[in-house]
Amino acid sequence: MTAEGPDQNAHEESLRARPRPRRRYAPGEDRHERILMAAVQHFSRFGYVNSSLARIAADAGVSDAGLLHHFGTKKALFLAAIALREDPFAAAFDTNSTVRDLFRQFTVAVRSSMSRPELVRFRAVLSGEVLLESNPAREHMRGNVVALLRAFVPVVERGIEVGEIRSDVDARQVILELLALNEGLRNQWATLPDDIDFPEAFEAAADSLLRRITVDQSGLG
């Protein structure tokens, strides 16, 4: 066994101090990610109908055939772009929590979502687009709202039962208001991104709503 000298220790310290290399994508995975991000940009700017697969492929640096290898249709690409935004957001919630914890989770999810503002902007555009019967995500997004109500309303109902929430509160109305705060403030931020701090505005609104419904009138605190 050799003794460790100062030079060796300095070398090991230098290695520990170096930043970890960024994750390297396999070629196919890298193309998949580039296509998705180009699609998010196009769908956000031009909507579903006016977005072109050829232009998306060009911006992603792949051929038309390469794009179709990863996403067989425009609809499949559109739904994959939606999932890129929606899946991590939905995974942020624990529905076995208290109402206060649910509200806190929501504020954390909103704040975390802003690490990728292009996806938040895309979701804001979807809010209007999915009202059109021709939009392929219409039923998907309707299903999302139904799923959120089914998951979150029982949390408020349990809060009423255990005395956390006032007995005269309508549990479904609370969740509808919470979802409306999120969607409305997100859309306002997309319109005036330099003037509105979406996470701060949502946290303040959620805190106000929580104070109105809790027995002790306490907020997120």
Side-chain angles (χ1 to χ4, degrees):
M1 176 180 292
T2 61
E4 293 184 354
D7 289 344
Q8 182 175 347
N9 289 336
H11 176 66
E12 291 177 352
E13 288 295 329
S14 174
L15 288 176
R16 281 194 290 268
R18 291 177 186 173
R20 294 182 179 179
R22 296 181 65 182
R23 177 189 173 194
R24 294 188 178 183
Y25 292 98
E29 189 178 0
D30 178 55
R31 283 193 293 271
H32 187 94
E33 178 76 7
R34 292 204 316 268
I35 293 167
L36 269 178
M37 294 317 300
V40 166
Q41 296 294 338
H42 279 257
F43 290 138
S44 295
R45 292 178 60 193
F46 308 116
Y48 176 76
V49 172
N50 293 320
S51 290
S52 159
L53 288 183
R55 289 198 297 266
I56 292 172
D59 280 359
V62 301
S63 65
D64 293 2
L67 183 152
L68 292 172
H69 171 74
H70 288 273
F71 305 96
T73 64
K74 184 178 179 181
K75 178 181 178 179
L77 177 56
F78 188 55
L79 294 178
I82 292 172
L84 185 67
R85 148 67 189 180
E86 296 295 291
D87 290 352
F89 192 83
F93 298 98
D94 174 12
T95 54
N96 293 316
S97 63
T98 65
V99 177
R100 180 171 287 103
D101 284 341
L102 177 66
F103 273 54
R104 287 172 177 162
Q105 291 164 18
F106 217 124
T107 61
V108 170
V110 167
R111 194 169 295 279
S112 298
S113 72
M114 291 302 291
S115 65
R116 302 191 72 174
E118 71 280 3
L119 294 181
V120 181
R121 188 174 296 107
F122 173 47
R123 181 61 182 83
V125 171
L126 279 177
S127 296
E129 278 232 318
V130 296
L131 299 178
L132 302 174
E133 291 187 8
S134 59
N135 191 281
R138 179 179 172 84
E139 290 306 315
H140 174 82
M141 299 306 291
R142 283 166 58 95
N144 278 2
V145 174
V146 171
L148 288 172
L149 289 172
R150 287 176 177 169
F152 292 166
V153 169
V155 177
V156 181
E157 290 174 338
R158 285 198 306 271
I160 294 171
E161 291 173 2
V162 301
E164 180 190 12
I165 304 301
R166 296 198 333 261
S167 60
D168 61 332
V169 165
D170 183 328
R172 190 171 188 273
Q173 180 65 25
V174 168
I175 298 304
L176 286 173
E177 287 187 37
L178 186 64
L179 296 177
L181 289 173
N182 178 47
E183 183 160 341
L185 289 169
R186 181 180 59 223
N187 293 352
Q188 289 179 357
W189 166 82
T191 303
L192 296 170
D194 296 330
D195 297 332
I196 296 173
D197 186 327
F198 174 31
E200 288 295 327
F202 177 79
E203 184 170 340
D207 180 78
S208 178
L209 173 58
L210 189 60
R211 289 180 186 278
R212 285 197 288 109
I213 65 174
T214 48
V215 170
D216 60 4
Q217 297 183 334
S218 60
L220 293 168

